[in-house]
């Protein structure tokens, strides 16, 4: 089978990263592996399967559709949903598939009661407490009210309580500690009212590495398992391997003269005679897209402006480059919707069909891009995986 472009995922690297993370988790603390956004671009069901085979029995995702993808992929372990379900039929689907739901407001608690009151099936929930991220969650009074209401249903089990940190990676720990204190206070109020919720968790990747005293009973790890460190001030990083590579082929190559222009609006003019290769990947595939968030402060704004300036001045380290046969070459001109141009010096040998590795953010890769899974050097395709037991190591 021939692909225009594909993502390669090294399953041995995923396993290795898991071992690295596990080496820092005390025995009494559970690992909740966060597999949202296709396991950060690596393919949720496939990654879940690798992790499950290596002892992970608790997963989390943002949306019901993501949870169902895991269930349909044969994952039987616990799956926690981070977002509230706001529709009766969504709740029905979640309950029927043993999905653990987050209760984030009185609204979703009432909807759950409406549904769960009429059935015998067990329903497991975690209470989400808002402590300073501003996304969603309960305050102490709401949590107490919900505990009181839900404890009237013998089939509803409040298994967990959690919150999410706004700046766990920041050098200054004050806000994180304040959020933690607020969370502990809610837990205490509930315990004084007689509600003991067994699984408590607040730590994402950054908090996990920086605050061992905030591990509680469970940690929710996504970024580290995907082979990267969070943007954080971390003194004791793990050894991680990025399992991901985005690849394509050269589809055309042509000799050009010094002075020739490249691309729309003629933003690039060749300084020397060169070969120009075309690859079938553009901004539609996530190439050259910067995530357009507001700068976090003056320093961040300044850094971004300097980076743009250096890229404009064509300083090599700030150019967008690709790799072909182990060498790196710059992308030139404006990236097209579905193509891009690469400058290759006259004396280098590059041919049509040569493999090209590209710097595309794993979370921006289009959902329909094929993922090829590599295990001990052998390749298997997404989707074949369950049937061929390729990941199961049963060959
Ligand atoms: C994404 C997410 C995580 C995982 O965060 P990482 O920093 O990627 O480990 C944990 N908890 C919640 C609620 C999340 O949304």
């Amino acid at each position: 089978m021939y692909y225009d472009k594909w993502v390669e995922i090294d399953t041995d690297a995923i396993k290795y990263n898991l071992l690295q993370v596990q080496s820092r988790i005390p025995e009494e603390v559970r690992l909740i592996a966060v597999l949202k956004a296709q396991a950060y671009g690596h393919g949720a069901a496939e990654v879940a399967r690798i992790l499950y085979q290596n002892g992970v029995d608790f997963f989390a995702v943002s949306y019901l559709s993501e949870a169902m993808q895991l269930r349909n992929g044969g994952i039987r372990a616990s799956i926690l949903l981070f977002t509230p379900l706001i529709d009766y039929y969504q709740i029905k689907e979640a309950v029927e598939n043993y999905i653990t739901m987050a209760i984030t407001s009185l609204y979703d608690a009432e909807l759950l009661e409406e549904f769960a009151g009429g059935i015998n099936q067990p329903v497991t929930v975690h209470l989400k407490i808002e402590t300073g991220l501003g996304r969603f969650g309960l305050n102490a009074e709401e949590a107490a009210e919900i505990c009181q209401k839900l404890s009237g249903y013998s089939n509803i089990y409040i298994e967990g309580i959690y919150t999410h940190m706004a700046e766990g990676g920041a050098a200054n720990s004050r806000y994180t500690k304040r959020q933690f204190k607020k969370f502990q206070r809610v837990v205490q109020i509930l315990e004084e009212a007689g509600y003991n919720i067994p699984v408590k968790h607040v730590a994402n990747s950054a908090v996990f590495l920086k605050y061992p005293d905030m591990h509680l009973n469970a940690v929710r790890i996504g970024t580290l398992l995907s082979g990267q460190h969070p943007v954080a001030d971390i003194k004791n990083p793990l050894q991680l391997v990025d399992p991901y590579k985005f690849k394509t082929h050269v589809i055309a190559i042509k000799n050009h003269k010094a002075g020739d222009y490249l691309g729309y609006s003629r933003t690039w003019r060749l300084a020397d005679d060169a070969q120009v290769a075309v690859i079938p990947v553009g901004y539609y595939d996530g190439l050259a897209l910067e995530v357009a968030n507001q700068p976090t402060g003056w320093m961040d704004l300044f850094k971004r402006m300097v980076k743009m300036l250096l890229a404009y001045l064509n300083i090599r380290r700030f150019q967008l480059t690709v790799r072909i046969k182990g060498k790196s070459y710059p992308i030139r001109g404006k990236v097209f919707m579905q193509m891009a141009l690469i400058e290759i010096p006259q004396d280098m040998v590059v041919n049509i069909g040569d493999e090209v590795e590209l710097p595309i953010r794993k979370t921006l890769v289009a959902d329909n891009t094929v993922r090829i899974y590599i295990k001990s050097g052998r390749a298997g395709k997404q989707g074949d995986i369950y049937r061929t037991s390729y990941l199961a190591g049963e060959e």
Side-chain angles (χ1 to χ4, degrees):
M1 190 65 194
Y2 190 86
Y3 300 107
D4 279 335
K5 48 207 152 195
W6 69 99
V7 167
E8 265 177 33
I9 307 287
D10 177 355
T11 64
D12 301 317
I14 291 173
K15 193 170 160 181
Y16 178 81
N17 293 333
L18 172 64
L19 290 172
Q20 293 299 306
V21 169
Q22 282 169 333
S23 74
R24 294 265 179 100
I25 302 182
E27 206 165 318
E28 66 281 8
V29 176
R30 278 182 89 175
L31 170 61
I32 302 174
V34 178
L35 299 181
K36 64 191 182 196
Q38 286 298 351
Y40 299 58
H42 300 87
E46 290 79 5
V47 172
R49 199 168 159 87
I50 297 167
L51 299 179
Y52 187 67
Q53 283 164 358
N54 290 282
V56 179
D57 61 352
F58 205 153
F59 299 102
V61 291
S62 297
Y63 299 108
L64 182 59
S65 57
E66 296 178 309
M68 288 312 299
Q69 205 186 343
L70 293 183
R71 282 285 180 262
N72 294 333
I75 301 301
R76 301 254 180 90
S78 298
I79 303 173
L80 169 65
L81 273 188
F82 287 146
T83 56
L85 298 178
I86 59 164
D87 173 85
Y88 185 88
Y89 289 97
Q90 270 192 318
I91 294 185
K92 186 168 181 302
E93 186 171 19
V95 169
E96 285 170 358
N97 288 283
Y98 300 93
I99 307 294
T100 303
M101 287 171 277
I103 301 293
T104 72
S105 72
L106 294 171
Y107 181 94
D108 30 292
E110 270 163 35
L111 205 57
L112 177 69
E113 272 190 274
E114 219 175 283
F115 178 76
I119 57 161
N120 294 321
Q121 218 167 337
V123 179
T124 305
V125 301
H126 284 214
L127 301 185
K128 169 73 196 290
I129 307 303
E130 159 62 23
T131 57
L133 180 63
R135 198 157 67 178
F136 32 59
L138 311 162
N139 61 29
E141 296 82 65
E142 289 166 336
E145 183 182 332
I146 287 169
C147 280
Q148 199 221 333
K149 276 191 180 159
L150 296 189
S151 58
Y153 299 88
S154 59
N155 59 331
I156 300 181
Y157 174 46
I158 306 177
E159 176 190 58
I161 182 165
Y162 73 104
T163 193
H164 196 36
M165 300 297 193
E167 54 169 39
N172 187 327
S173 63
R174 202 175 317 144
Y175 195 77
T176 304
K177 286 181 176 159
R178 195 164 98 193
Q179 278 192 268
F180 187 62
K181 223 168 148 184
K182 211 162 162 180
F183 177 75
Q184 292 291 65
R185 178 86 191 116
V186 176
V187 169
Q188 190 193 353
I189 289 170
L190 295 181
E191 285 180 357
E192 282 166 4
Y195 304 111
N196 283 294
I197 301 175
V199 187
K200 305 173 186 71
H201 46 107
V202 304
N204 62 359
S205 291
V207 175
F208 168 67
L209 288 182
K210 278 175 67 92
Y211 304 93
D213 56 323
M214 297 187 192
H215 288 177
L216 302 176
N217 312 115
V219 292
R220 303 186 304 270
I221 308 294
T223 303
L224 293 173
L225 291 174
S226 81
Q228 287 176 325
H229 279 89
V231 180
D233 164 59
I234 289 163
K235 294 185 183 62
N236 51 348
L238 293 167
Q239 297 296 316
L240 299 172
V241 181
D242 192 344
Y244 159 100
K245 286 193 173 91
F246 190 106
K247 290 186 173 176
T248 185
H249 299 286
V250 170
I251 59 168
I253 186 158
K254 204 175 173 79
N255 287 313
H256 283 267
K257 292 281 172 219
D260 283 0
Y261 290 102
L262 299 183
Y264 288 142
S265 308
R266 298 186 294 138
T267 60
W268 190 263
R269 192 172 192 195
L270 289 173
D272 302 296
D273 290 1
Q275 311 173 78
V276 174
V278 183
I279 52 171
V281 176
Y283 63 80
Y284 178 65
D285 303 288
L287 182 62
L289 284 183
E290 269 304 312
V291 177
N293 269 331
Q294 200 176 17
T296 55
W298 286 107
M299 210 44 216
D300 188 38
L301 175 66
F302 180 69
K303 274 191 205 158
R304 288 197 207 183
M305 283 166 52
V306 169
K307 256 193 197 167
M308 270 174 90
L309 182 70
L310 293 173
Y312 180 76
L313 295 175
N314 197 23
I315 306 293
R316 187 148 182 97
R317 197 161 79 76
F318 296 90
Q319 287 165 359
L320 204 51
T321 59
V322 303
R323 292 185 77 76
I324 304 172
K325 289 186 277 200
K327 292 223 156 46
S328 95
Y329 301 101
I331 290 176
R332 295 303 195 200
K334 265 180 184 294
V335 166
F336 299 97
M337 188 189 288
Q338 295 174 297
M339 276 168 265
L341 304 176
I342 300 160
E343 180 179 348
I344 294 160
Q346 207 84 83
D347 57 336
M348 299 305 294
V349 179
V350 170
N351 295 303
I352 290 177
D354 280 357
E355 206 169 279
V356 182
E357 193 185 324
L358 285 155
I360 293 188
R361 248 179 216 263
K362 51 180 88 168
T363 47
L364 291 178
V365 172
D367 229 24
N368 62 355
T369 309
V370 68
R371 295 191 188 89
I372 308 280
Y373 291 84
I374 313 284
K375 186 185 181 198
S376 315
R378 259 188 354 117
K381 193 163 78 72
Q382 174 183 29
D384 297 345
I385 269 173
Y386 317 112
R387 286 187 291 279
T388 60
S389 74
Y390 158 77
L391 282 176
E394 290 159 8
E395 64 269 292

